Amino acid sequence: MALVSRLLTARAKERPDSSAFITGADGRALSWRELAGHGESWQAVARLRGLPARARIGVLIGDPLLFAAGYLGALAAGLTAVPLDPRLTESELAASLARLRVDVLVTDDPTAWAGVETWAMAHSGPLPVTRPSTTARPSAGAATRP
């Protein structure tokens, strides 16, 4: 989604150190510069891993700032972000990933893995940690959805 990428870049140029998101619980903040950097990180990692445009990224992140960075970063990279509830059980997560045809799971939970390529969401951006044994992506051939 080039629009999200352009929006983040423009906002980062206008007010780079202003807070884009602030957590209410502990007052941590994510600046526009950091958020735009996440978009660039997502683009680089997606290109490096050979993800097709609109590949489906399951976003399983409990930390609100990392969730915002992961979700918007994926959109900025032209990927389809699918938010997932971090409270799902392992079997519910596996069923959701299969039903939604998720290509990559990005998470801040190092124990989460459900048979798809898994990336850890760090403050610097996504970091690939596992790769599935098959080269076919679950969303290949799936109908385009909004």
Side-chain angles (χ1 to χ4, degrees):
M1 205 176 219
L3 179 61
V4 173
S5 180
R6 286 195 316 255
L7 221 157
L8 294 178
T9 301
R11 192 59 78 154
K13 285 180 183 174
E14 291 171 5
R15 46 179 106 164
D17 298 318
S18 294
S19 295
F21 293 95
I22 301 172
T23 61
D26 57 12
R28 292 178 300 129
L30 182 65
S31 73
W32 286 105
R33 179 191 331 257
E34 292 168 323
L35 198 53
H38 276 279
E40 292 167 8
S41 294
W42 273 92
Q43 289 172 357
V45 171
R47 192 171 31 255
L48 179 70
R49 298 301 272 210
L51 286 181
R54 292 190 240 156
R56 294 180 185 168
I57 308 296
V59 184
L60 181 72
I61 301 175
D63 179 274
L65 290 183
L66 284 180
F67 177 84
Y71 187 82
L72 291 173
L75 292 178
L79 305 168
T80 302
V82 180
L84 296 163
D85 189 340
R87 298 171 296 185
L88 292 174
T89 65
E90 190 175 321
S91 62
E92 291 170 332
L93 175 61
S96 293
L97 294 174
R99 185 180 69 252
L100 296 167
R101 300 178 127 187
V102 168
D103 298 307
V104 173
L105 175 67
V106 64
T107 182
D108 60 348
D109 177 3
T111 64
W113 187 77
V116 297
E117 185 171 348
T118 304
W119 297 356
M121 188 60 198
H123 291 284
S124 59
L127 305 168
V129 291
T130 66
R131 192 161 185 106
S133 58
T134 177
T135 56
R137 300 213 178 266
S139 69
T144 303
R145 297 182 201 162

